Amino acid sequence: MERASARPLTRRPLVTLLTAAALAASGLTALTSAARAADADLARNGGFESALDGWTCTAGTTVTSPVHGGTAALKATPAGADNARCAQTVSVKPDSQYTLSGYVQGTYVYLGASGTGTTDVSTWAQSAPDWKQLTTTFRTGPSTTKVTIYTHGWYGTGAYHADDISLTGPGGETGQPPAVPGGLKTGSVTSSSVALSWSPVPGATGYAVYRDGTRVSTVTGTSTTVSGLTPSTADSFQVTAVNDAGESARSATVTATTAQRPDDGGGSSGLPAHALVGYLHASFANGSGYTRMADVPDSWDVIDLAFGEPTSVTSGDIRFERCPVTECPNVESDAEFKAAIKAKQAAGKKVLISIGGQNGQVQLTTAAARDTFVSSVSAIIDEYGLDGLDIDFEGHSLSLNADDTDFKNPKTPVVVNLISAVKTLKAKYGERFVLTMAPETFFVQLGHQYYGTGKWGGQDPRAGAYLPVIHALRDDLTLLHVQDYNSGPIMGLDNQYHSMGGADFHIAMTDMLLTGFPVAGDAGNVFPPLRPDQVAIGMPASTQAGNGHVSPAEVTKTLNCLTKKTDCGSYATHGTWPALRGLMTWSINWDRYANWEFQKNFDAYFG
């Protein structure tokens, strides 16, 4: 808590600009306007009339104005380390001549082809306030059968538009898309997941899985489990087969209804339908003063003890030291503290040990550190009779190795060991074990744009580093309450940046968690949504508690938008979630300092 997030460092890839002189020197010449009879336009959906069908874009959409021809055009917006590249792979003939052409608008817009087997080419417009045609030519190599054509912008120069892109030349052997998969059926069904399987299709290189008409994953095998579903909800599923020639039609539909979670609204954690979560400064004092456990009002449903910290960054040995009398003159004795915890639990409250915080860097780099983490955290839980664990890893606790690019299959030791350690604790204490997480936006929602060091390297390896942890533990996770404070601007699902200071930021950040989002701009690699009962919104309790504090009126607007779809302002959410679990704040102490403003607003709203 109480630290500012840094934006990821980036470096730009080198781009070779093929000038007219270089083009002439290469011996490549443009085709004449009288194209050979065998030549055809090989680009699929080059006018973007069918949305982005055929194109893979990191940050693109289609618009109805401006357009060069037809009724639609591409609009793509570079941001950070992303140049908003849109590309498609086309079947071509070896040792053949091709002309690539398209119309662009904007500043620093590129059109090019790669994988030609000879000299990859690109052309660009430094400034095109109106539609401008770009054209370049290339010859394929003696064994080239596929070429990728693309357009992209440049970093920090704003959106660009493209339309009517064509690739003229002899067509290659495209083959046929695979047949429609048969035999789709459901397997095991839980409150949040459905297992699917189907029959293999000859010639398929992969399969796309659809839930309620929206693609949710792509797999190479003939089975998968769709997770992140809402309990007691019917979902429909279809699957298609994919190869280089395209995608089959969708299969017959199967429907499955997820199971009901135990304990009605509260789930197996025993929380109320709407919960208030707060951090209690139990090991230190600051300007807010020390608050005794017995003095925490009954409004607080989850009390996180701040903080358990390691003996060294990589030891995994977590210690919880209560605030000394010299720093906290009104601190209660250990016996009084433990008695107060039992009293809270008897009243239905949950008390957790929170590991990390601003100063508690934890890096489980080895299996030995992992095992020490499990034993030392267990010792704290057992000594104080706690209900579970809150993971509040900040700073440099989590980062991704350069070759760790798939959040669904992490391989960085600090990530893999943390997942293993938490699963061990969950198994030890059983279903009633409460697991919460409090990452910063840098480690979660920033993953929509950046993941780890990035495609070209140079990004901050911590970007999105919580995503594999959340994903691996989503079936064990009681609550995720991202710190929507001390944050830089974050891009939402509307491809706009959102900044702290009002309801808009909390609405956009929470909508991402409840809707799911592409990781690093890859529409084929989506972080699945969490259940609304797993999500609380993290906010500072007062202006002194952290950057990003908002007034009670803005908190109410946030809750109205997400649970009732009213007071949403300019951001359009992708759903309505009356089962949203509630709010988290840093901290109980700071809320007491501010005359319990945060708590009173929560009580008034949820009654």
Side-chain angles (χ1 to χ4, degrees), residues 280-282 284-286 288-296 322-334 336-337 589 592:
L280 184 68
H281 307 177
F284 60 93
N286 58 15
S288 64
Y290 183 82
T291 300
R292 295 163 64 100
M293 174 65 72
D295 294 334
V296 176
R322 300 193 55 240
C323 191
V325 175
T326 53
E327 187 176 349
C328 302
N330 61 322
V331 66
E332 67 268 62
S333 68
D334 278 355
E336 291 171 325
F337 186 68
N589 304 63
R592 181 185 185 185

Side-chain angles (χ1 to χ4, degrees), residues 505-558:
F505 186 70
H506 299 294
I507 292 167
M509 295 301 99
T510 308
D511 182 60
M512 294 176 73
L513 301 177
L514 297 172
T515 304
F517 54 88
V519 175
D522 183 356
N525 189 33
V526 175
F527 179 80
L530 292 167
R531 303 189 314 269
D533 66 281
Q534 289 180 298
V535 176
I537 309 170
M539 303 177 174
S542 66
T543 55
Q544 298 94 336
N547 294 324
H549 172 261
V550 297
S551 68
E554 294 299 304
V555 176
T556 298
K557 285 181 183 178
T558 300

Side-chain angles (χ1 to χ4, degrees), residues 148-326:
T148 299
I149 60 174
Y150 63 85
T151 182
H152 68 72
W154 198 245
Y155 310 91
T157 57
Y160 72 88
H161 295 81
D163 201 2
D164 296 333
I165 296 175
S166 64
L167 179 66
T168 305
E173 297 296 329
T174 59
Q176 295 292 325
V180 178
L184 178 63
K185 60 183 179 180
T186 60
S188 61
V189 178
T190 71
S191 61
S192 62
S193 65
V194 173
L196 300 171
S197 63
W198 55 91
S199 301
V201 176
T205 57
Y207 301 89
V209 180
Y210 291 81
R211 175 172 66 89
D212 298 332
T214 300
R215 182 187 288 201
V216 292
S217 66
T218 301
V219 298
T220 56
T222 56
S223 64
T224 190
T225 297
V226 180
S227 58
L229 305 179
T230 302
S232 305
T233 302
D235 292 287
S236 62
F237 301 93
Q238 295 169 292
V239 65
T240 64
V242 180
N243 64 15
D244 288 344
E247 183 176 2
S248 73
R250 297 182 189 180
S251 69
T253 300
V254 297
T255 302
T257 300
T258 49
Q260 181 179 359
R261 284 180 64 81
D263 297 345
D264 297 320
S268 60
S269 64
L271 293 178
H274 300 292
L276 180 61
V277 182
Y279 287 78
L280 184 68
H281 307 177
S283 60
F284 60 93
N286 58 15
S288 64
Y290 183 82
T291 300
R292 295 163 64 100
M293 174 65 72
D295 294 334
V296 176
D298 287 342
S299 296
W300 299 90
D301 300 296
V302 180
I303 303 168
D304 292 319
L305 303 180
F307 288 105
E309 299 182 357
T311 55
S312 68
V313 173
T314 59
S315 69
D317 188 7
I318 307 299
R319 304 296 175 89
F320 174 59
E321 304 291 343
R322 300 193 55 240
C323 191
V325 175
T326 53

Side-chain angles (χ1 to χ4, degrees), residues 298-601:
D298 287 342
S299 296
W300 299 90
D301 300 296
V302 180
I303 303 168
D304 292 319
L305 303 180
F307 288 105
E309 299 182 357
T311 55
S312 68
V313 173
T314 59
S315 69
D317 188 7
I318 307 299
R319 304 296 175 89
F320 174 59
E321 304 291 343
R322 300 193 55 240
C323 191
V325 175
T326 53
E327 187 176 349
C328 302
N330 61 322
V331 66
E332 67 268 62
S333 68
D334 278 355
E336 291 171 325
F337 186 68
K338 293 176 182 178
I341 290 174
K342 289 183 178 179
K344 292 295 180 189
Q345 292 168 328
K349 313 305 177 184
K350 306 298 179 183
V351 185
L352 316 180
I353 180 64
S354 179
I355 307 298
Q358 179 178 345
N359 299 323
Q361 306 294 295
V362 182
Q363 296 175 0
L364 304 182
T365 56
T366 64
R370 175 200 63 196
D371 295 344
T372 301
F373 181 89
V374 170
S375 61
S376 60
V377 170
S378 296
I380 296 169
I381 291 173
D382 293 344
E383 179 179 355
Y384 293 94
L386 303 179
D387 296 287
L389 168 68
D390 173 69
I391 303 173
D392 184 18
F393 284 16
E394 301 182 18
H396 290 270
S397 292
L398 292 181
S399 63
L400 299 167
N401 290 350
D403 63 344
D404 198 343
T405 58
D406 181 4
F407 76 90
K408 297 175 183 176
N409 297 285
K411 48 189 176 182
T412 303
V414 295
V415 172
V416 174
N417 288 333
L418 175 60
I419 294 168
S420 175
V422 175
K423 282 187 174 293
T424 301
L425 288 166
K426 176 75 174 183
K428 176 178 180 178
Y429 291 103
E431 286 300 314
R432 292 284 174 172
F433 183 77
V434 178
L435 172 64
T436 66
M437 300 182 193
E440 297 160 288
T441 57
F442 189 96
F443 296 93
V444 184
Q445 288 95 337
L446 187 70
H448 176 36
Q449 279 186 280
Y450 312 103
Y451 189 71
T453 57
K455 184 176 181 180
W456 296 293
Q459 291 175 192
D460 192 317
R462 298 172 298 166
Y466 245 95
L467 294 180
V469 179
I470 299 169
H471 186 68
L473 296 170
R474 63 173 58 238
D475 289 338
D476 301 312
L477 181 65
T478 309
L479 277 179
L480 176 71
H481 31 68
V482 176
Q483 300 177 36
D484 285 1
Y485 46 93
N486 294 337
S487 171
I490 303 291
M491 180 178 285
L493 292 177
D494 57 354
N495 290 327
Q496 302 297 315
Y497 282 100
H498 298 268
S499 300
M500 298 184 302
D504 172 83
F505 186 70
H506 299 294
I507 292 167
M509 295 301 99
T510 308
D511 182 60
M512 294 176 73
L513 301 177
L514 297 172
T515 304
F517 54 88
V519 175
D522 183 356
N525 189 33
V526 175
F527 179 80
L530 292 167
R531 303 189 314 269
D533 66 281
Q534 289 180 298
V535 176
I537 309 170
M539 303 177 174
S542 66
T543 55
Q544 298 94 336
N547 294 324
H549 172 261
V550 297
S551 68
E554 294 299 304
V555 176
T556 298
K557 285 181 183 178
T558 300
L559 294 172
N560 280 343
C561 178
L562 293 167
T563 65
K564 304 174 183 177
K565 217 174 181 70
T566 61
D567 285 341
C568 289
S570 60
Y571 185 88
T573 63
H574 294 75
T576 307
W577 302 279
L580 179 75
R581 182 67 79 178
L583 301 177
M584 174 276 277
T585 193
W586 176 262
S587 62
I588 294 173
N589 304 63
W590 279 116
D591 197 36
R592 181 185 185 185
Y593 185 87
N595 195 30
W596 303 112
E597 178 185 80
F598 194 88
Q599 171 201 304
K600 290 175 181 177
N601 191 52

